[in-house]
Amino acid sequence: ERQIALLVKEASKTKGRKNNRILDVGGGLRNRRLELEKLGECVTLDIKKYPWVDVVGDAEDLALEEKSFDVVAAFMILEHVKNPGKALNEFYRVLKPKGLVLLTTVQYWHTHWLRNDYYRFTKEGLKYLCGEAGFDLKKIWSMGGPFLVVFHAIELNLPPWLRKFFLLLAPLFNFLDK
């Protein structure tokens, strides 16, 4: 949620970023849409139907009109796509000229939903994939750092009963990384 709020704040600083048509790819979480609506009208696409999902579809094959969105948001979904380059090509295809992509993904995180958790990304890997899709990368940054990596390495190996207490230390590790 913090990452989404930060990206929306950054996007709102960009000239002409009001009253946009936004595509939220993988937007199965309701709070994402509420945050994105600060930038304009939001169309939510997910592989599953939820009450707030407008289009059921696949990030690698968007059944949407070319150049029809001002902003494409894809939060924590790229690691779940079999062919992330193909998904980025689709984002580029549906994006209007001078459009904006808001993207978050993981480098260090445990595998989850094992049947559809495929990748972890470095900055250089993301730069390459985005460049191949035709994007002009304006800004890329890491959220977290070595302290959070250590935190998650410990947390993910604790028994569940102890993990809930260890999670109370997350703000400290996050502060140390800032």
Side-chain angles (χ1 to χ4, degrees), residues 83-149:
N83 189 334
K86 189 173 181 184
L88 288 167
N89 285 331
E90 281 293 281
F91 299 169
Y92 189 85
R93 184 184 66 78
V94 300
L95 200 61
K96 291 178 182 177
K98 297 187 181 182
L100 183 66
V101 172
L102 306 176
L103 174 72
T104 64
T105 190
V106 294
Q107 180 181 25
Y108 175 80
W109 194 250
H110 66 286
T111 56
H112 48 283
W113 305 329
L114 293 177
R115 293 188 307 177
N116 67 344
D117 188 5
Y118 303 104
Y119 301 101
R120 299 297 179 265
F121 298 92
T122 63
K123 277 186 180 181
E124 290 305 310
L126 285 172
K127 286 178 186 178
Y128 172 78
L129 288 171
C130 289
E132 285 293 300
F135 290 111
D136 178 20
L137 200 59
K138 297 293 182 193
K139 196 174 221 180
I140 185 169
W141 69 90
S142 297
M143 298 288 288
F147 288 102
L148 281 174
V149 169

